[in-house]
Amino acid sequence: MKYFIEFRNVVKKFGDFTALDHISLGIPKGNFVTLLGPSGCGKTTLMRQLAGFSEPDEGDVFVNGKRMNGLPPYKRNTPLVFQEYALFPHMTVYENISYGLRLKKLPKSDVDQKVRQMLKMFNLEGLEDRFPRQMSGGQQQRVAFARALVMDQEVLLLDEPLSNLDAKLRVEVRTELRQLQQRFGITAMYVTHDQDEALSMSDIIAVMQHGKIEQVGTPWEIYFRPVNRFVADFVGTVNFLTAKVAGRDNNILRVEHNGHILRIYSDVPAAVGEMITLVVRPECIRIAREDEGIPDHACIRGSIKSYSFLGRMIRYWIQVGNDEFIIDDNDIDLNGARSGSVNLYLDTRKIHILRDGGAHADS
Amino acid sequence: MAQNSSAKESIKEMKRLKNEPLLLIAILAIIAFICLFVVYPVIKVVVFPSLTDYAKLFNNQRWFTALKNSLLMTLISTISCTALAFLFAYVNNRLDVPCKGLFRFASLLPIVSPPFIVALSYILLFGVQGIITKQLFGIHIDIYGRTGLWIVQTITFFPYAYSVINGVMQAISTNLEYAAYNMGATRWQVFRNVFWPLCRPGVAGGALVAAINVLTDFGNPMMIGGDMALLPTEAYMQISGWYDMNTASVLAVALLIPALVLFVVKNFWVGKRSYVTVTGKETSLEPYPIPKFIKWLLFGITMFFTIFILLVYGTLVYGAFTKAWGYDWSLTLKNVQYVFLKGNQIRNSIVYGLIASLGASLLSMILAYIVQKKQVGVNKLLDFFAILPGAIPGMFLGIGYVMAFNSQPLELTGTAAIMILALMFWNIPTCYNSATAGLQQIGNSVEDAALNLGANSFRSFKDVIIPLLKAPFLSSFVLSFLRSVTCLSVVIFLYSPSTTVGTISVMVLVQSGQWGEAAAFTTILIAIAFTVLRITQGILKKQGIDLKL
């Protein structure tokens, strides 16, 4: 497969600290790819290698088949939206947006036309003579987007551009941003530590930790088929169940948890006697009604410790053996929350199996 | 290990300089300049006297007394300066009282004035011909000596402590105090356990700034010290009266050591101890009201000192237009005419101030830019060089220049060049701090953004960095100019008849009892300083920047 943006074995060190440890990643044209990970995982550093603000110690960076190593940032045509916007404080909105075009020595009328188009698209008309300090955070952010998009490049880099906005605005902007990217067919690279942003906007997510990519995949793969506990835990809420493989009946795996046999739909080739981890998302499990009969192989017993009412659902914390489970219950009783001992009904088709020896990460 | 790798980093960064010859040349030139015009003169002075000369400091009763007096004056004046500064800052930040603008104005005035102005005015008010002592009460008191100097230094230098303490106090959120009240603390407990500990770094910093100024003060002791021997004035007497460079050097070194200690403590200890973080997002509540009685008592004391300061300046202006202070109170323009007759000296003040400030702010700007925005491996060393002149008392620098540049190949004695160079290097730390503060406001990513949009290094420097540097450059230039025009201690050792400046004339006039002319001279110097300050503030305000002193 031919990639539009590609990193091959990129290594970057700062003194003794390895920020990027042999990173390879390919992004097809027109895709929205998100680098997701905790702070310090190397996601921004990786993006800076592409923009040319820093050079890899080893490895290559390609855009559209062209090797970018050694090329100064101003020759790379990789417009970037900065986390703190980095608007020029001494230039007006108009001057900020038009700066890149003026550098290219485009005719004045072309510049004007393109800038007007951006002003309109980002709802900035009438603000063109303002200075950045005279505008709200949301407006500044739109100027930053306009300044990058006006360059009309096939690539757009975004370094946590929504982190300075309030929660409601953030949700609005991420929808608009995704639509824009698709409309223009831009290949976008997005850095964030927010799993909701990553899941809602991306074609591809690359989850990073300690300078390495842990997993690359679609949001569905990352969420339902994480490769390890870190990815499962970082993307969304999760319950881990340690279990032992007891046997297999065609596509059903029999696993033993706390002396109780569960039957899980899975094609994971786990051997009999192997210790495994079951990844159970809160929505893959529900509290059975009191009179409900559940098949024994999909049932776990527990007792409710506490709950939190969120309107459309109740989140329960339930003690199961030595583990604590988080369960989101959509089937809310108008009379209030449940309490005491309950049966938990597992949706055994959605449960994911990790062949990690079943050991808890730390304990 | 970490040490080792950071050293390796530095060497790697230095090697990279080979590709940027312009940067390399700039760095080498700066280091050479500072070595020649700061380090070299200092060494000259230190090694000039022999060890037996140094022993005289303790054998000779008079020198030893000068040392003791200097340290004692520094101690008591610093305490009073800090206390007064704390009061002004507290009233400004935490009390709901009128006239705050007036208080702020009063605490700004002494900073933009020649350092001896309070002494001069004090003489006009309370001296033998004083308007209050002689005219109002018909009494005669001896104001020369310790008490007079103490009062004068307190008024002169508390604003320096104030600006530090005020800055820290401003950044302390009142929410913290409310949090303590909320947990059941009494008013006194809140002050002792929350407010005071948060102020402490500011108070320590302010006290040290005041101490350095008091210790190295030359103008006030010269005018009002009377018979009291102090290190700076004694050193001056040795040179101007007896041409005794040996003794002058010994006294200057005796002054340099405590100044260095204060400097080191201020920069490397207090500098790292501020707890205040400015987040900008927090909304503070109105200060918690304090009992009316205490509030108005504090207001009264602040008002008293404010009126005193205004009286000082009022007296000066009045003196400038009075025929013969103490005898003939009728108004006249002859003093002002006298100043215009001596227009050459005012012209020198302005010209030297402009050139020195231009040089100092340009050099500091480049230095600050390299230290802040470029990784060159020697950033720490350059930073140290830039603040180094701040450790050296003005008069020490003056004596150093006399000794260092009196022979070929750099024979500068008596020239305008030596005055300008001394003022320039004396001002570098001030300019550097101002430039650094300005540069830190420019986010790193702004330059990256320009590169990202297609500007090469030169274009991004021209389109983004230069325009953004205008404001810090202008403010450091103005600060330097104010300091130069009002400076006495540095230039007193370096002037010749043709290179006399305004401040020196004032000192000579005061010594010969020509109060009216001295007052007129000072008034005009302050007028110039204030005009320049206000114009610059106006320009900067248009760009949305507050010029802070």
Side-chain angles (χ1 to χ4, degrees):
Chain A
M1 184 169 185
K2 179 121 171 55
Y3 294 120
F4 192 71
I5 297 174
E6 192 179 358
F7 297 93
R8 272 188 214 157
N9 267 317
V10 171
V11 176
K12 180 74 192 174
K13 289 183 180 166
F14 297 110
D16 292 334
F17 176 70
T18 305
L20 299 174
D21 190 358
H22 296 91
I23 298 271
S24 291
L25 175 68
I27 302 163
K29 193 170 168 64
N31 265 274
F32 193 113
V33 63
T34 299
L35 305 178
L36 176 67
S39 54
C41 72
K43 52 195 193 302
T44 296
T45 310
L46 186 61
M47 180 176 274
R48 293 175 71 85
Q49 309 304 310
L50 180 55
F53 298 141
S54 134
E55 284 289 334
D57 298 328
E58 289 172 40
D60 305 301
V61 181
F62 294 92
V63 174
N64 204 8
K66 193 178 162 210
R67 190 167 175 271
M68 304 304 266
N69 296 49
L71 215 59
Y74 52 89
K75 286 189 179 158
R76 293 202 181 195
N77 293 322
T78 49
L80 194 157
V81 181
F82 291 80
Q83 181 173 9
E84 63 287 10
Y85 314 144
L87 299 179
F88 306 123
H90 60 300
M91 294 187 193
T92 62
V93 168
Y94 189 97
E95 287 166 341
N96 261 291
I97 298 176
S98 63
Y99 182 67
L101 299 175
R102 284 184 281 141
L103 287 171
K104 286 190 161 177
K105 303 217 160 55
L106 250 62
K108 255 210 171 97
S109 55
D110 287 11
V111 172
D112 194 60
Q113 189 220 329
K114 281 173 192 272
V115 174
R116 297 277 158 217
Q117 195 191 338
M118 284 296 146
L119 289 169
K120 195 168 170 209
M121 196 158 84
F122 285 98
N123 230 340
L124 290 164
E125 282 169 310
L127 300 176
E128 49 265 52
D129 293 327
R130 296 262 185 101
F131 285 97
R133 62 171 179 276
Q134 298 166 322
M135 297 194 302
S136 71
Q139 289 170 328
Q140 292 187 25
Q141 209 251 4
R142 299 204 305 265
V143 177
F145 276 132
R147 187 176 71 176
L149 273 176
V150 79
M151 300 305 288
D152 237 348
Q153 295 301 327
E154 293 168 300
V155 177
L156 181 64
L157 309 182
L158 304 124
D159 184 3
E160 307 209 25
L162 308 184
S163 58
N164 290 332
L165 299 182
D166 58 55
K168 193 158 176 284
L169 201 55
R170 211 178 301 165
V171 175
E172 277 173 37
V173 176
R174 77 184 185 211
T175 317
E176 283 172 36
L177 188 59
R178 174 64 163 155
Q179 285 167 356
L180 269 175
Q181 178 263 334
Q182 286 176 323
R183 176 149 43 112
F184 290 102
I186 297 169
T187 311
M189 191 162 157
Y190 190 92
V191 164
T192 187
H193 59 261
D194 182 321
Q195 40 145 331
D196 287 341
E197 280 176 23
L199 291 173
S200 64
M201 298 165 82
S202 319
D203 294 307
I204 299 171
I205 297 174
V207 183
M208 295 181 69
Q209 187 193 16
H210 302 320
K212 287 185 176 151
I213 293 183
E214 298 281 346
Q215 186 175 5
V216 181
T218 64
W220 271 263
E221 286 165 352
I222 298 284
Y223 191 74
F224 287 115
R225 297 283 175 260
V227 295
N228 56 29
R229 286 189 177 215
F230 170 76
V231 174
D233 200 24
F234 193 77
V235 183
T237 312
V238 72
N239 303 296
F240 293 124
L241 258 173
T242 307
K244 188 172 168 186
V245 179
R248 175 181 282 283
D249 310 325
N250 296 325
N251 57 347
I252 293 176
L253 206 59
R254 276 181 289 122
V255 302
E256 184 198 328
H257 170 69
N258 266 349
H260 187 87
I261 298 287
L262 298 168
R263 291 162 65 86
I264 313 288
Y265 286 82
S266 176
D267 45 15
V268 172
V272 173
E274 184 179 339
M275 295 300 289
I276 54 163
T277 296
L278 302 179
V279 178
V280 185
R281 296 286 181 195
E283 61 275 8
C284 302
I285 190 168
R286 67 176 179 82
I287 300 172
R289 287 185 303 278
E290 277 165 43
D291 52 353
E292 188 178 0
I294 341 169
D296 210 31
H297 63 263
C299 179
I300 300 177
R301 286 198 64 77
S303 72
I304 293 173
K305 282 176 71 185
S306 62
Y307 71 91
S308 154
F309 177 57
L310 299 169
R312 63 196 157 79
M313 64 173 200
I314 300 179
R315 171 162 287 191
Y316 287 100
W317 282 266
I318 297 175
Q319 192 71 42
V320 176
N322 292 324
D323 301 320
E324 191 183 68
F325 266 48
I326 295 174
I327 291 167
D328 291 343
D329 186 9
N330 296 308
D331 187 18
I332 301 173
D333 189 335
L334 291 180
N335 296 320
R338 305 269 304 263
S339 62
S341 289
V342 286
N343 283 328
L344 302 177
Y345 194 167
L346 292 174
D347 185 345
T348 51
R349 284 160 309 165
K350 286 189 194 158
I351 289 172
H352 179 55
I353 289 173
L354 292 177
R355 297 183 64 193
D356 59 357
H360 281 255
D362 302 272
S363 61
Chain B
M1 188 66 200
Q3 195 92 36
N4 199 359
S5 76
S6 80
K8 250 189 254 164
E9 266 317 82
S10 299
I11 292 167
K12 222 162 75 181
E13 284 163 8
M14 277 189 260
K15 278 188 184 152
R16 222 176 300 146
L17 279 179
K18 269 193 300 196
N19 305 327
E20 299 194 61
L22 212 63
L23 191 59
L24 183 65
I25 291 169
I27 291 169
L28 291 178
I30 288 170
I31 292 176
F33 268 134
I34 291 181
C35 284
L36 179 60
F37 291 108
V38 180
V39 180
Y40 173 60
V42 171
I43 292 172
K44 264 286 208 194
V45 177
V46 174
V47 300
F48 190 76
S50 65
L51 277 180
T52 39
D53 290 327
Y54 276 117
K56 267 196 283 182
L57 188 62
F58 301 96
N59 302 337
N60 186 314
Q61 192 56 44
R62 189 167 172 85
W63 310 152
F64 193 62
T65 310
L67 177 64
K68 274 197 309 196
N69 280 342
S70 266
L71 296 179
L72 180 73
M73 278 318 298
T74 305
L75 185 69
I76 61 172
S77 292
T78 300
I79 291 171
S80 53
C81 279
T82 312
L84 192 56
F86 189 84
L87 173 70
F88 267 73
Y90 187 79
V91 169
N92 186 34
N93 285 296
R94 286 294 190 268
L95 291 193
D96 172 30
V97 290
C99 303
K100 280 196 202 177
L102 187 70
F103 297 159
R104 281 196 292 269
F105 177 70
S107 61
L108 173 75
L109 271 176
I111 291 187
V112 298
S113 318
F116 46 77
I117 175 178
V118 183
L120 171 55
S121 227
Y122 193 72
I123 297 168
L124 295 179
L125 283 167
F126 303 106
V128 185
Q129 308 299 338
I131 193 164
I132 290 182
T133 40
K134 183 184 169 192
Q135 207 62 26
L136 226 54
F137 298 109
I139 49 168
H140 175 77
I141 43 171
D142 185 14
I143 56 163
Y144 296 90
R146 183 168 296 155
T147 313
L149 184 59
W150 183 35
I151 294 171
V152 165
Q153 283 186 327
T154 302
I155 297 296
T156 309
F157 296 118
F158 94 89
Y160 294 88
Y162 167 81
S163 75
V164 177
I165 297 173
N166 186 50
V168 170
M169 228 186 255
Q170 248 171 4
I172 299 174
S173 164
T174 53
N175 293 356
L176 298 174
E177 288 150 70
Y178 277 95
Y181 284 120
N182 183 256
M183 286 184 265
T186 63
R187 208 173 253 125
W188 168 241
Q189 285 169 327
V190 169
F191 183 83
R192 212 189 48 179
N193 301 337
V194 179
F195 188 67
W196 174 249
L198 290 170
C199 286
R200 218 159 32 197
V203 172
L208 285 164
V209 172
I212 290 171
N213 275 292
V214 172
L215 177 70
T216 60
D217 182 23
F218 176 78
N220 289 316
M222 199 66 206
M223 289 187 191
I224 207 166
D227 291 335
M228 191 167 63
L230 289 164
L231 288 173
T233 42
E234 283 301 315
Y236 172 70
M237 305 285 193
Q238 291 307 315
I239 290 182
S240 70
W242 286 276
Y243 301 101
D244 182 352
M245 285 309 224
N246 263 325
T247 310
S249 301
V250 171
L251 294 170
V253 172
L255 185 65
L256 178 69
I257 291 165
L260 269 178
V261 171
L262 290 172
F263 174 81
V264 168
V265 173
K266 170 173 156 278
N267 281 283
F268 300 102
W269 185 65
V270 173
K272 289 179 186 145
R273 280 185 176 245
S274 180
Y275 306 122
V276 176
T277 48
V278 185
T279 54
K281 278 189 177 170
E282 225 168 306
T283 45
S284 282
L285 298 162
E286 282 296 305
Y288 192 74
I290 71 165
K292 277 215 166 76
F293 165 71
I294 298 178
K295 178 171 119 177
W296 291 112
L297 180 71
L298 295 178
F299 174 80
I301 302 171
T302 312
M303 186 52 103
F304 172 79
F305 281 101
T306 302
I307 289 172
F308 185 73
I309 293 166
L310 296 178
L311 197 61
V312 162
Y313 285 82
T315 308
L316 197 77
V317 177
Y318 185 44
F321 295 99
T322 304
K323 234 173 208 159
W325 194 262
Y327 300 102
D328 185 352
W329 298 102
S330 53
L331 295 177
T332 175
L333 280 177
K334 90 173 162 45
N335 296 325
V336 181
Q337 279 164 352
Y338 174 83
V339 177
F340 280 102
L341 276 179
K342 298 261 178 175
N344 209 20
Q345 292 159 16
I346 294 287
R347 197 187 58 94
N348 281 347
S349 279
I350 295 172
V351 171
Y352 298 166
L354 284 177
I355 300 175
S357 303
L358 200 63
S361 36
L362 263 179
L363 196 63
S364 309
M365 198 85 249
I366 298 168
L367 204 53
Y369 179 72
I370 294 173
V371 170
Q372 291 291 318
K373 304 280 170 186
K374 299 276 173 196
Q375 289 303 320
V376 294
V378 288
N379 295 46
K380 287 232 172 85
L381 178 77
L382 289 176
D383 182 65
F384 173 75
F385 265 167
I387 56 171
L388 180 66
I392 303 160
M395 55 142 311
F396 190 102
L397 200 65
I399 295 175
Y401 271 52
V402 172
M403 292 183 171
F405 306 116
N406 60 0
S407 60
Q408 290 297 339
L410 265 173
E411 189 176 353
L412 299 172
T413 317
T415 61
I418 199 170
M419 302 275 281
I420 291 168
L421 282 168
L423 286 172
M424 175 172 153
F425 282 92
W426 181 61
N427 274 314
I428 278 187
T430 310
C431 294
Y432 176 77
N433 286 336
S434 167
T436 301
L439 272 168
Q440 277 167 345
Q441 308 226 305
I442 305 174
N444 273 328
S445 45
V446 174
E447 207 179 345
D448 281 347
L451 294 171
N452 183 259
L453 291 169
N456 58 30
S457 303
F458 174 72
R459 278 304 294 258
S460 75
F461 192 75
K462 174 174 157 277
D463 293 348
V464 176
I465 298 299
I466 297 253
L468 291 177
L469 287 185
K470 257 189 223 156
F473 178 81
L474 206 54
S475 59
S476 75
F477 176 78
V478 169
L479 286 180
S480 169
F481 181 75
L482 292 180
R483 274 165 58 90
S484 300
V485 169
T486 59
C487 174
L488 177 63
S489 61
V490 178
V491 293
I492 191 83
F493 299 100
L494 302 174
Y495 76 98
S496 67
S498 66
T499 62
T500 309
V501 292
T503 47
I504 293 167
S505 309
V506 177
M507 195 192 80
V508 174
L509 289 169
V510 169
Q511 282 173 333
S512 59
Q514 292 171 269
W515 310 119
E517 288 87 346
F521 242 113
T522 314
T523 307
I524 285 173
L525 283 176
I526 295 172
I528 293 168
F530 235 83
T531 313
V532 172
L533 179 68
R534 286 294 177 220
I535 291 173
T536 323
Q537 275 177 331
I539 295 172
L540 289 177
K541 192 144 228 170
K542 268 189 208 146
Q543 301 184 22
I545 296 153
D546 257 348
L547 175 59
K548 285 221 177 109
L549 289 173

